[in-house]
Amino acid sequence: MNPKFEPSLTPLRRATALCVIAIALGACSRDLSAQSTHAAAAGASALAAGADPAPAPGAAPPSPAVQAGTAELALRGLPDFSALVDRYGPAVVNVEVVEKAQAGTGGLQLSPNDPFYDFFRRFGIPAPGEGPRGNVPPARGAGSGFIINSDGYILTNTHVVANADEVTVRLTDRREFPAKVIGADERTDVAVIKINATNLPIVKLGDPARVKPGQWVLAIGSPFGFENSATAGIISATSRSVPGENNYVPFIQTDVAVNPGNSGGPLFNMAGEVIGINSQIFSRTGGFMGVSFAIPIDVARNVGEQLIKTGRVVRGRIGVTIQDVNAQLAESFGLARPHGALVSSVEKDGPAARAGILPGDVILSVGGHAIERYGELSGAIAAMRPGADASLAVWRAGKEQNVSVKVAELKEQQQTSARSGKPMPRGTEKPGALGLTVRPLSPEEKEQAKTQGSLVVEEVAGPAQAAEVEPGDIILGINGKRVHTAKELQDATQAAGKNVALLIQRGDAQIFVPLRLP
């Protein structure tokens, strides 16, 4: 504004100018208010998404009111499981078991002065030789279960009711019923029990195919006997193969607190649907350490229906032993990336052998469904009815080909070990690159070990030691090629490159062991 015109402003003009300035400031204030409201909402959305709600560099920090609103919105976004527990909690039951008494050996007696006597007394365990007539008192156990039928059918774990003499089911209203074990399947750890009752509350079964890592889930069970306890967490992973298991179950891994007594209880999703049965934990202490596993409900439902109808479970098999494909094995067999199930042995005259499946084949899919982990193959074949044709995509010699295998029925059988405990004669052949000392097997040893191999490992060093090859292992081949002499082993090693897939027989099992050469 020009200074010489300033004195000429009349009071009316000054008042008008002040009003205009006030209106302009009011508009700015409204714009800032709208921007603040928008920023608060955006901050709440970012906080809910896990973003840092801190202001941008140079910007003024949000007001206490905006901060409080953002925190409130974030807290409101956390899950509330109370309605789910109220609705489906009554369908979760406590299972108490009295196991069958076991006769004592009668050969071992502990004196009260023996240091182990105090150990048994302190933990409430009868010492050997104690109890009436030398028998060990029956053990008692507890677990959980959930009602799937209003007429009293209940799903739980096999290990909860195994060797049970008496089974008692307690409902949330404190009613108790004796239960009968309808059937139990050890391979999946799924069992069905039944109580004589009607109009019982039941759970709603969900679809595990829709389960994704990061989703919220809820477990209800009786950890340490604290009945109908609810614990929550998220899905950590799916299709897990648990070490030491037979891989017929693609476990759901969670971080839900599961402890002794939770076994057999349901795992719910946010829709109130049961997506799994809490089965086991991974622990170094015996208690929960943040890793728990649940049996997918589709696996449990299939097993449960068969147990109810026939009392037994029918599974398919094709007669192969498989293992996972890691990066070294994938490179050894020419795969672009690790996936599929590696065939380490084929049963003689079995379905796979008749179809032409060979050790060293990598099964990539079944019926068009891709196999990422080897455990997925076991579950897919087991779910097929005997007599059906399984269409397999197989990777062999750097190419993919299709093979059709007629599925047979899986018969339960006990495993035996063919490894001899006798010391083996010394050998002198040393293929240096692998770090192995090997020698030929005698005809008697081959017959005793029931093997087609001709070389046995005497000493282990270098790459073979790092790969945990053991003395007594029988060498069958390298990268899918059979070897019968130390010279053939040495030549095959030199032609294999830096990554070697060594096929060995250990006891009754054949496995590929990946070795990385220097």
Side-chain angles (χ1 to χ4, degrees):
M1 182 179 291
N2 193 329
K4 70 178 180 179
F5 292 107
E6 187 175 1
S8 64
L9 290 175
T10 63
L12 178 60
R13 289 178 178 176
R14 288 180 179 176
T16 303
L18 289 174
C19 289
V20 172
I21 293 172
I23 292 172
L25 289 174
C28 291
S29 176
R30 285 193 298 273
D31 289 341
L32 290 172
S33 176
Q35 292 174 8
S36 299
T37 303
H38 177 73
S45 300
L47 184 61
D52 187 357
S63 66
V66 172
Q67 292 179 355
T70 301
E72 183 179 0
L73 287 172
L75 289 175
R76 286 180 179 177
L78 294 176
D80 182 355
F81 296 99
S82 58
L84 192 159
V85 175
D86 288 342
R87 174 67 179 84
Y88 294 106
V92 182
V93 302
N94 310 120
V95 181
E96 296 183 355
V97 174
V98 177
E99 296 184 1
K100 297 175 182 178
Q102 299 180 1
T105 61
L108 176 64
Q109 301 287 334
L110 290 184
S111 165
N113 297 324
D114 193 298
F116 284 100
Y117 183 89
D118 185 60
F119 169 83
F120 284 101
R121 180 190 60 78
R122 181 180 302 170
F123 290 96
I125 305 173
E130 291 188 341
R133 296 181 301 278
N135 287 347
V136 178
R140 296 178 179 270
S144 306
F146 52 97
I147 306 171
I148 59 172
N149 181 287
S150 60
D151 290 333
Y153 284 99
I154 297 168
L155 281 182
T156 186
N157 283 149
T158 294
H159 74 262
V160 171
V161 297
N163 198 38
D165 189 38
E166 299 177 15
V167 180
T168 303
V169 169
R170 182 183 298 110
L171 308 185
T172 55
D173 59 9
R174 298 187 179 181
R175 286 186 295 165
E176 294 186 1
F177 298 88
K180 177 183 178 182
V181 178
I182 300 300
D185 180 54
E186 291 187 4
R187 287 188 181 271
T188 58
D189 196 24
V190 174
V192 178
I193 59 178
K194 189 181 186 305
I195 60 176
N196 291 324
T198 57
N199 298 321
L200 295 171
I202 63 174
V203 299
K204 180 171 60 173
L205 303 184
D207 181 9
R210 301 173 63 182
V211 170
K212 296 180 179 180
Q215 293 176 337
W216 283 97
V217 284
L218 176 82
I220 303 180
S222 306
F224 303 109
F226 295 103
E227 57 189 31
N228 300 99
S229 298
T231 54
I234 64 169
I235 300 291
S236 303
T238 58
S239 298
R240 283 295 199 208
S241 297
V242 177
E245 297 297 319
N246 51 33
N247 299 307
Y248 284 90
V249 177
F251 284 100
I252 301 171
Q253 179 186 333
T254 77
D255 69 350
V256 179
V258 172
N259 284 289
N262 275 110
S263 293
L267 183 70
F268 291 96
N269 62 16
M270 289 298 293
E273 301 168 333
V274 176
I275 58 172
I277 302 178
N278 296 307
S279 175
Q280 53 188 288
I281 61 176
F282 185 85
S283 175
R284 300 184 186 278
T285 64
F288 177 68
M289 294 184 68
V291 182
S292 55
F293 298 95
I295 304 163
I297 196 61
D298 57 344
V299 174
R301 176 165 42 197
N302 176 42
V303 171
E305 289 174 354
Q306 293 191 60
L307 290 175
I308 292 173
K309 290 179 182 179
T310 65
R312 60 186 292 266
V313 180
V314 176
R315 290 188 178 85
R317 59 180 288 273
I318 59 175
V320 295
T321 302
I322 57 174
Q323 64 184 91
D324 211 1
V325 180
N326 61 19
Q328 289 179 252
L329 290 173
E331 185 174 345
S332 299
F333 289 101
L335 286 168
R337 65 178 182 87
H339 65 128
L342 174 59
V343 178
S344 56
S345 67
V346 180
E347 177 187 325
K348 185 179 180 180
D349 297 327
R354 290 193 293 268
I357 298 293
L358 301 173
D361 288 345
V362 180
I363 300 176
L364 303 178
S365 69
V366 178
H369 297 283
I371 302 297
E372 286 296 323
R373 299 280 186 174
Y374 76 111
E376 298 173 18
L377 176 64
S378 300
I381 297 298
M384 301 183 71
R385 302 295 299 179
D389 290 324
S391 178
L392 309 180
V394 174
W395 181 265
R396 179 188 299 167
K399 296 186 297 183
E400 183 176 329
Q401 55 185 282
N402 295 320
V403 179
S404 180
V405 182
K406 187 168 291 294
V407 177
E409 182 177 350
L410 176 66
K411 301 290 186 180
E412 301 295 337
Q413 59 184 0
Q414 294 183 347
Q415 295 184 350
T416 58
S417 175
R419 172 171 290 191
S420 172
K422 297 180 181 180
M424 296 181 179
R426 304 298 296 171
T428 58
E429 300 290 346
K430 295 185 178 182
L434 295 177
L436 292 173
T437 299
V438 299
R439 67 166 180 82
L441 282 168
S442 68
E444 294 78 12
E445 290 172 334
K446 291 184 64 172
E447 182 179 359
Q448 186 178 18
K450 299 178 181 178
T451 182
Q452 299 297 316
S454 301
L455 296 174
V456 64
V457 175
E458 285 283 275
E459 295 179 359
V460 181
Q465 185 176 36
E468 298 184 352
V469 178
E470 300 176 0
D473 289 341
I474 298 172
I475 297 177
L476 303 176
I478 287 183
N479 289 6
K481 181 180 180 180
R482 291 279 174 163
V483 295
H484 302 282
T485 66
K487 181 66 167 57
E488 292 178 357
L489 176 62
Q490 191 170 16
D491 292 344
T493 302
Q494 293 175 352
K498 293 295 184 182
N499 289 288
V500 174
L502 184 68
L503 179 61
I504 65 171
Q505 177 176 330
R506 181 174 295 170
D508 286 340
Q510 292 185 19
I511 57 174
F512 279 95
V513 179
L515 284 77
R516 188 179 297 277
L517 302 183

